[in-house]
Amino acid sequence: MKTDGKAEEIRTTVAGRARQRAWREADRAISVVLADPEVQRLRALIEQEEVAAGRDLRDELQAFRDRYDHAVRTRDVAALALLCPGKHARWGRVCVLTTGHQDELPHWGTTPKQPVAWIGSTPDDD
């Protein structure tokens, strides 16, 4: 019976190392893709369009940002719970619109620098 326990420990260790290797390989592959000049050019173009759309929507949507800021300052959990779960936290973005807006409007919020609008989500949205 002790050998069964040892065999399970070895299987667990091997599986863990295989996962770590897979993550390292995926990270390297992603880094190579993101370093590609065409990918960088497209990323810059998308960012420019998101900033332009954010500015274009600012007058219409600023009240949502004001409501968000007020809810954060006053720790109004009920108001914050109504917000869209969409975010790009890695890039400092939080959607300040109400849940369900995606049929009518893109995600909209501000970064430390400017308003920004975006479509879609990222893995950190979950």
Side-chain angles (χ1 to χ4, degrees):
M1 296 254 172
K2 284 187 177 182
T3 57
D4 287 343
K6 188 66 171 173
E8 182 61 32
E9 182 180 331
I10 291 170
R11 279 193 292 275
T12 300
T13 300
V14 168
R17 289 184 181 160
R19 277 192 302 279
Q20 289 172 351
R21 181 176 178 202
W23 279 108
R24 280 192 308 272
E25 289 174 6
D27 191 45
R28 276 193 291 264
I30 290 168
S31 295
V32 167
V33 169
L34 292 177
D36 181 88
E38 182 64 7
V39 171
Q40 290 179 1
R41 184 188 73 76
L42 292 171
R43 181 178 179 181
L45 180 62
I46 290 168
E47 187 174 327
Q48 288 173 354
E49 291 300 319
E50 290 175 342
V51 169
R55 270 189 256 120
D56 291 347
L57 292 167
R58 186 178 197 153
D59 289 344
E60 181 182 349
L61 302 177
Q62 183 61 41
F64 289 96
R65 175 60 195 226
D66 296 341
R67 181 187 65 186
Y68 170 80
D69 289 342
H70 182 265
V72 169
R73 270 193 316 277
T74 61
R75 298 183 178 146
D76 186 345
V77 176
L80 292 171
L82 298 174
L83 295 179
C84 173
K87 64 185 178 314
H88 281 243
R90 216 174 290 163
W91 293 278
R93 301 175 180 187
V94 175
C95 182
V96 298
L97 302 179
T98 306
T99 298
H101 68 84
Q102 294 90 333
D103 291 341
E104 307 283 326
L105 294 165
H107 294 295
W108 188 86
T110 59
T111 68
K113 296 179 183 176
Q114 69 238 337
V116 64
W118 68 96
I119 297 172
S121 61
T122 62
D124 66 338
D125 276 2
D126 298 328

